Amino acid sequence: YLHAYQVTNKPMYKRVVEETLDYVVREMTDVAGGFYSAQDADSEGVEGKFFVWRPEEVMETLGDGEIICRYFDVTQTGNFEGHSILNVKVYPSEFARDEGLSDLEFSDLLNRSKKTLMERRELRIHPERDDKILTAWNGLMLNAFAEAGAVLDRPDYTLVAEKNASFLLDNLRKHGRLLRSYKDGQAKLNGYLEDYAFLAAGLLTLHEATFEPRWLLEAVDLGRSMVTLFWDESSSQFYDTGHDHEELVLRPRDVSDNAIPSGSSMATDVLLRLAVVTGDEEFQRKAIIGMRAVKEFMARFPTGSGHWLCALDFYLSNPKEIAIIGDRSGLDTRSLIAEVYRSFIPNRVMIGRNDSVEILDQLPLMDGRGRIKGKSTVYVCQNYVCQLPATDVHELARQLSEGPAQ
């Protein structure tokens, strides 16, 4: 939905992003910063009881709720076992017109009504939660919060992502080894390939959103550890369990992208991005070999290879390399960053640093690059060949829309 909003600029997609992430903060986030695993559908032993409504309930809560019942399809017959799941069948603007209301009038009514209904719903007995914290799933959610914080200019989402990253790195790592799960103050089980790959991907995105060097350096470190633990040179592929895992009859390797990407496809994606960031050709070599190993699988089962195909597209597309130098909190830097995020550019890598941070200068994208005439500056490159430094938003927009650098 975040990417759909970047592509279309439709407010509906932005609303879905914000309401989803707000739900995660409200219902699924531990005070220490970890994200919980699941929420039951049942409450009081009845499936969906917490979430469904009857017309009289809506009317009693809102006083005059006939319009809201019509909008959310809350009826006497219901759409789920005699009750109604709130269900929107028509665009708000069309519904408002049919009801003789302006878009603004209906939007105000809808927002007030949803707030009141939620307050009423909070009085119900809540569904149980699975408060186990899994590193891999947290890495995916971290990625979403970090990217949404940058795209939507929501510092609160960025803070959620930073708190989560700190929690994971501080509590789910022992003697340098990433762990799998955390519950009741205890972390356990050696992490699998997906734990390393998903967290590294989230940290890369968090660096892009904050310019904080720690997140980038931690992602690079995780990438190297991931190769050491899970890559098998003899078979030229990643396995899901590390070399230090207990001996199994068959070492598992799942390459299918299903509800979430496979550990192998995400690891390949991460290695391709880290190769651009670090200039480490070994990262890219292993990523290419990994993709070749599933070439026939991608061709035969594309719907089960979604993230593999994204990684392949990244490799073949000659991705944009973006380096930004400037004060991350400064207005001029923020304007340039906003332009980068204004459009959906899936095949890009971005790193940034403040003037006072020299630890990233050794990276090829930062080598010899600084501000121009004291202004925050962006370098748009491909294969480390850069266009002229951009200090103006319009010039940056032009460079981002163009093909490979000459």
Side-chain angles (χ1 to χ4, degrees):
Y1 275 96
L2 184 66
H3 296 162
Y5 174 66
Q6 287 179 287
V7 171
T8 66
N9 203 35
K10 289 184 177 180
M12 179 184 74
Y13 296 134
K14 178 183 178 182
R15 176 180 62 80
V16 171
V17 172
E18 291 180 326
E19 290 184 353
T20 302
L21 294 182
D22 290 348
Y23 157 77
V24 173
V25 172
R26 185 178 66 247
E27 302 281 351
M28 301 297 289
T29 304
D30 186 83
V31 292
F35 300 123
Y36 299 138
S37 292
Q39 187 178 52
D40 283 350
D42 298 358
S43 55
E44 301 180 75
V46 179
E47 184 176 5
K49 184 173 182 179
F50 181 78
F51 301 99
V52 295
W53 295 85
R54 294 281 302 160
E56 54 269 22
E57 235 182 332
V58 176
M59 298 292 289
E60 178 188 347
T61 302
L62 298 180
D64 181 11
E66 290 184 3
I67 290 180
I68 298 302
C69 282
R70 285 197 293 274
Y71 179 69
F72 281 120
D73 191 32
V74 180
T75 64
Q76 288 295 336
T77 55
N79 55 33
F80 181 77
E81 298 181 355
H83 292 74
S84 294
I85 301 169
L86 301 187
N87 176 36
V88 178
K89 291 186 171 182
V90 64
Y91 284 106
S93 57
E94 295 178 22
F95 183 84
R97 183 187 64 232
D98 293 343
E99 294 289 337
L101 299 171
S102 69
D103 287 351
L104 181 59
E105 287 174 328
F106 179 63
S107 177
D108 288 343
L109 172 64
L110 183 60
N111 290 334
R112 289 197 311 270
S113 300
K114 287 168 66 175
K115 182 175 183 295
T116 303
L117 290 172
M118 181 171 287
E119 289 171 353
R120 171 66 178 267
R121 196 185 70 176
E122 283 298 298
L123 301 176
R124 299 174 179 175
I125 296 175
H126 284 240
E128 294 293 324
R129 274 190 310 234
D130 178 356
D131 59 2
K132 175 172 70 272
I133 295 167
L134 297 176
T135 301
W137 293 5
N138 272 244
L140 292 174
M141 202 73 247
L142 159 65
N143 204 327
F145 270 103
E147 190 171 1
V151 171
L152 304 180
D153 192 20
R154 288 285 302 265
D156 54 328
Y157 290 161
T158 306
L159 285 174
V160 171
E162 289 185 291
K163 188 174 181 179
N164 178 254
S166 294
F167 171 81
L168 295 173
L169 294 171
D170 293 345
N171 294 279
L172 283 114
R173 197 164 47 173
K174 185 176 182 181
H175 305 309
R177 184 62 162 89
L178 200 62
L179 301 178
R180 171 69 171 173
S181 68
Y182 178 96
K183 182 176 171 64
D184 298 331
Q186 182 181 2
K188 60 183 180 179
L189 304 178
N190 284 345
Y192 298 109
L193 175 62
E194 68 173 15
D195 296 301
Y196 277 78
F198 293 2
L199 179 54
L203 292 172
L204 283 173
T205 303
L206 185 56
H207 169 76
E208 293 181 352
T210 64
F211 288 10
E212 173 58 49
R214 179 193 178 190
W215 311 130
L216 180 58
L217 297 175
E218 292 279 15
V220 173
D221 184 61
L222 282 174
R224 299 197 192 285
S225 297
M226 181 174 72
V227 169
T228 300
L229 286 165
F230 301 98
W231 179 260
D232 182 67
E233 194 65 41
S234 63
S235 59
S236 299
Q237 59 189 353
F238 278 110
Y239 283 94
D240 292 330
T241 56
H243 295 297
D244 58 351
H245 196 83
E246 63 183 286
E247 188 172 346
L248 303 171
V249 175
L250 184 66
R251 194 176 180 193
R253 181 176 186 257
D254 183 6
V255 299
S256 299
D257 294 324
N258 295 302
I260 60 176
S262 67
S264 294
S265 67
M266 184 66 84
T268 300
D269 186 2
V270 166
L271 289 187
L272 288 171
R273 295 173 188 275
L274 288 178
V276 175
V277 170
T278 64
D280 188 334
E281 294 181 359
E282 191 61 18
F283 279 152
Q284 187 177 75
R285 185 185 76 85
K286 286 183 169 58
I288 294 170
I289 293 172
M291 287 188 290
R292 285 176 179 160
V294 294
K295 179 178 64 174
E296 291 185 8
F297 179 79
M298 283 192 277
R300 292 181 61 192
F301 306 107
T303 57
S305 311
H307 204 77
W308 279 113
L309 293 168
C310 289
L312 178 62
D313 187 65
F314 180 91
Y315 172 66
L316 295 175
S317 71
N318 200 11
K320 292 187 184 295
E321 305 149 359
I322 302 170
I324 303 180
I325 295 91
D327 180 0
R328 180 64 179 81
S329 61
L331 183 59
D332 53 348
T333 309
R334 290 171 57 194
S335 297
L336 293 169
I337 293 170
E339 182 58 38
V340 173
Y341 284 107
R342 185 177 63 83
S343 301
F344 179 51
I345 310 173
N347 297 328
R348 64 151 177 79
V349 170
M350 183 168 73
I351 60 174
R353 69 167 173 81
N354 298 319
D355 290 320
S356 58
V357 177
E358 299 178 357
I359 194 171
L360 302 182
D361 285 350
Q362 59 187 325
L363 300 176
L365 280 178
M366 283 294 180
D367 186 22
R369 299 191 172 104
R371 289 186 188 236
I372 301 298
K373 297 181 180 180
K375 297 181 179 180
S376 296
T377 305
V378 182
Y379 296 82
V380 179
C381 318
Q382 287 175 282
N383 294 321
Y384 304 118
V385 177
C386 301
Q387 301 185 54
L388 292 175
T391 59
D392 174 77
V393 169
H394 300 294
E395 173 60 20
L396 175 59
R398 184 190 67 76
Q399 293 187 14
L400 291 173
S401 66
E402 287 189 350
Q406 301 299 318

